[in-house]
Amino acid sequence: MMLRSALAAALLIGVSSAATSAAMAVERGGTLTYGRYADSLFLDPVLNDANVDIWILSNLYDTLLQPTDDGKGIQPGLATEWKMSDDGLTLTLTLRDGIEFSDGSPITAEDVAWSLKRAANPDNGVWNFLLTSIKDVKPEGDKTVVISLAHTDPAILSALTVFNSAILPEKAFEASKGETDKDKAQAFAEHPITSGPFMLASWERGSSMKLVANPHYWDKGEDGKPLPYLDGIDFEVLPDDATRILRLQSGEIQGAEFIPYARVDELKNADGIKMELFPSTRVQYVTVNVRSELDGKKNPLASGEVRQALNYATNKQAIIQIVTHGVGTPMTSFMSTATPLHAGDKPLYPYDLAKAKELIKKAGYADGFSTSVLVLAGNQDQIGIGTALQQMWGQIGVKLELQQVDNATLTDQYRKGTFAMRMAAWTDDIADPNEITSYFAYSPTIGALHSGWKNDEVDKLFEASQQELDPAKRADEYKKIQEVFNTTGPIVPLYETPYPVALSKKVHGFLQIPLGNNIFSKTWLDK
């Protein structure tokens, strides 16, 4: 109820802000300086798997279709029309007239076909699972693209809104230095030619990234002129939460993401600042490595009884109060309540210390054990969670070490599967449960959050769901997947929350949709 109230209030604030912006005459020009918690890693839409990349890519590249502002539907993007054949195996899309890349070259049906084939290639990245149904993509003239599907796919339209299906210029990419696709992507991403509202101007890794307006962008603003309204965006990398807030309060930056919930009320009452809580699909959890051995030693976390013990020893309500100041709500499944086909109406693993002690003893660890969790250095919320878990798990004999690391180190250990546990959060990128399920539970994608967890029943159910057009049958498949994962999976589910973003009152039109995308194309500044 608390989260629903917070989201409802945030939604009203968003509506009010939108109405106010519409009533005011937009002003063009100016550069917005925005504080980020971490730098991007690699600006290629296909070969990445990190939000620090994704939420920048959505401003650099456009997709054929785009998510609606509420994150639940689709709307035209580079394509204005689309039609599925009666047998559900052929999708025909019509491109906009006169669309161009940032260098002024035309965006053609050939570029679209090449981009989608590259994104669907199973050898390219981890996100191709969203497009595995694609058998072929063919251009028909300059404006028509025909996608042939190997099987029916209930989520194919939603998949065409996701960052990895972004449209890139084929000739420029293929002319980049390198022998392999990854080599070419590395070279191209240093000076990318883009299809979205902004272009990359400069990038000082670990410090700042500057985007400037794409003069060839297709969309128009309220004044009938091309978007975006801003001349550019300067992203400053400020990992420490307190530093981001101080820079915002001093006026050095005009926006800051991932505000600690402990500071939300303070900033709501601060002069010159708008504290926004945008509705989201964000869930907070701890990823647990379940491989039988870690660093050549037996891994206690491989035991399902140990993982259940950790869950029952975690007082989620206490963490919600301590870390989110009541803004969060306990998870009722591994996916958020805003995710389509979410199943579950009760909080997972209610606090039960006696049961936790019984399970840890049954698993053979009556005397406890030592383990560690990766925490993003300077992140007040993650440190708060970790400190609470240290105390809670200590009551069942588990000694937890907090390993504070930078984002690059955290990501590297995560992808290599060398971590014991990792503090983590997830946001959907698609209005469908297939993405989070593939990433969390379907072992062929990334080994279930790089945890090493595998369940044959879940794998089969997920594969069936990818082709099932009967809504009731598909809902039942996802219900069963959630039941299995929620009881045996490799996470400690904590809570779901809105997105906390603080902005100067001079900023108008910024939106973070429930799928996480930061939308700057209609953002403008008071002069």
Side-chain angles (χ1 to χ4, degrees):
M1 288 299 296
M2 294 173 74
L3 180 61
R4 291 193 187 99
S5 298
L7 295 187
L11 193 56
L12 286 173
I13 291 170
V15 171
S16 175
S17 298
T20 301
S21 295
M24 299 170 65
V26 298
E27 295 188 48
R28 285 186 170 269
T31 298
L32 172 72
T33 305
Y34 191 85
R36 303 182 71 196
Y37 80 99
D39 197 7
S40 294
L41 304 170
F42 181 30
L43 295 180
D44 177 74
V46 173
L47 304 178
N48 73 78
D49 66 348
N51 282 339
V52 288
D53 298 328
I54 295 165
W55 294 352
I56 293 293
L57 289 167
S58 60
N59 292 285
L60 292 174
Y61 292 102
D62 265 10
T63 47
L64 292 175
L65 306 177
Q66 295 183 349
T68 52
D69 288 351
D70 64 5
K72 297 179 181 179
I74 58 174
Q75 60 184 338
L78 294 175
T80 56
E81 299 176 23
W82 55 94
K83 183 179 181 181
M84 181 66 75
S85 62
D86 292 340
D87 62 5
L89 295 175
T90 304
L91 176 62
T92 303
L93 300 104
T94 303
L95 302 183
R96 291 181 181 276
D97 290 327
I99 48 178
E100 297 176 335
F101 288 109
S102 57
D103 65 347
S105 61
I107 299 175
T108 68
E110 284 81 4
D111 292 310
V112 171
W114 172 84
S115 295
L116 294 183
K117 287 180 185 178
R118 176 175 178 250
N121 186 336
D123 296 328
N124 288 342
V126 301
W127 299 105
N128 55 73
F129 65 84
L130 293 172
L131 301 169
T132 53
S133 62
I134 292 181
K135 181 171 66 175
D136 197 10
V137 188
K138 292 183 178 180
E140 290 190 357
D142 292 332
K143 290 183 54 181
T144 303
V145 177
V146 179
I147 300 176
S148 301
L149 302 180
H151 57 76
T152 53
D153 183 350
I156 187 61
L157 291 177
S158 295
L160 294 179
T161 72
V162 180
F163 58 90
N164 71 317
S165 63
I167 306 307
L168 280 67
E170 177 185 10
K171 291 179 180 178
F173 184 97
E174 293 294 357
S176 300
K177 293 181 179 179
E179 296 297 323
T180 67
D181 182 272
K182 184 176 181 179
D183 292 339
K184 291 179 182 294
Q186 290 280 1
F188 181 82
E190 291 298 314
H191 305 283
I193 296 170
T194 63
S195 53
F198 293 92
M199 310 181 296
L200 179 66
S202 65
W203 185 5
E204 187 177 341
R205 292 180 183 270
S207 178
S208 67
M209 177 187 294
K210 298 181 185 299
L211 305 186
V212 294
N214 173 5
H216 302 282
Y217 192 53
W218 59 269
D219 203 3
K220 300 291 193 295
E222 294 176 20
D223 55 4
K225 298 176 182 179
L227 290 173
Y229 297 123
L230 293 170
D231 291 332
I233 311 168
D234 288 354
F235 292 107
E236 291 198 12
V237 180
L238 304 169
D240 184 72
D241 295 336
T243 302
R244 286 201 304 283
I245 293 172
L246 282 171
R247 296 282 295 276
L248 178 68
Q249 291 173 323
S250 70
E252 295 175 75
I253 64 176
Q254 292 81 50
E257 65 182 1
F258 288 104
I259 299 299
Y261 294 100
R263 306 289 300 273
V264 167
D265 284 343
E266 169 198 344
L267 293 177
K268 280 183 178 178
N269 297 312
D271 292 337
I273 292 176
K274 293 183 291 186
M275 183 64 240
E276 303 274 17
L277 294 173
F278 291 104
S280 83
T281 54
R282 187 177 189 272
V283 291
Q284 185 83 38
Y285 56 96
V286 179
T287 305
V288 181
N289 194 327
V290 304
R291 292 174 176 83
S292 59
E293 288 189 356
L294 280 178
D295 294 326
K297 299 177 182 178
K298 182 181 179 181
N299 179 19
L301 303 173
S303 166
E305 291 168 337
V306 166
R307 298 198 298 278
Q308 288 183 348
L310 295 178
N311 269 291
Y312 281 116
T314 303
N315 188 333
K316 277 88 168 184
Q317 287 290 1
I319 290 176
I320 287 170
Q321 291 303 319
I322 294 168
V323 178
T324 78
H325 288 239
V327 172
T329 191
M331 293 167 63
T332 55
S333 177
F334 69 88
M335 60 179 70
S336 79
T337 52
T339 301
L341 304 187
H342 164 278
D345 56 5
K346 296 179 181 179
L348 300 175
Y349 296 102
Y351 180 57
D352 191 331
L353 187 58
K355 181 177 278 189
K357 290 179 177 179
E358 178 186 333
L359 284 164
I360 202 89
K361 183 177 180 180
K362 187 178 178 181
Y365 294 96
D367 297 327
F369 58 88
S370 297
T371 187
S372 63
V373 60
L374 296 178
V375 176
L376 187 63
N379 186 292
Q380 186 175 331
D381 290 342
Q382 290 195 12
I383 294 169
I385 294 168
T387 302
L389 292 178
Q390 278 182 323
Q391 298 172 357
M392 293 172 184
W393 293 353
Q395 295 182 83
I396 60 172
V398 176
K399 299 181 181 68
L400 181 65
E401 176 193 359
L402 305 190
Q403 296 182 342
Q404 295 193 46
V405 297
D406 61 25
N407 189 64
T409 301
L410 188 149
T411 302
D412 181 62
Q413 291 191 34
Y414 173 60
R415 290 174 177 171
K416 290 178 179 176
T418 56
F419 63 99
M421 285 188 277
R422 171 190 184 246
M423 211 69 71
W426 168 274
T427 294
D428 297 341
D429 299 289
I430 182 174
D432 193 89
N434 66 344
E435 181 195 29
I436 186 171
T437 303
S438 179
Y439 208 77
F440 275 55
Y442 183 55
S443 63
T445 301
I446 56 165
L449 294 168
H450 298 291
S451 71
W453 186 81
K454 177 178 171 59
N455 184 282
D456 291 340
E457 180 186 7
V458 165
D459 288 348
K460 290 177 182 177
L461 284 166
F462 177 75
E463 289 168 359
S465 75
Q466 290 290 81
Q467 303 183 40
E468 184 56 67
L469 296 182
D470 184 319
K473 290 181 179 178
R474 194 164 188 254
D476 186 59
E477 289 163 347
Y478 275 100
K479 181 180 179 181
K480 291 177 181 176
I481 288 172
Q482 290 170 81
E483 288 171 350
V484 174
F485 188 92
N486 290 340
T487 54
T488 67
I491 69 169
V492 177
L494 297 173
Y495 54 77
E496 51 182 296
T497 53
Y499 301 123
V501 179
L503 301 164
S504 163
K505 286 187 176 179
K506 294 182 178 181
V507 178
H508 306 276
F510 170 83
L511 177 66
Q512 186 167 15
I513 70 172
L515 302 178
N517 306 42
N518 290 317
I519 310 298
F520 289 98
S521 59
K522 296 180 181 179
T523 301
W524 57 278
L525 290 169
D526 285 335
K527 295 294 179 62

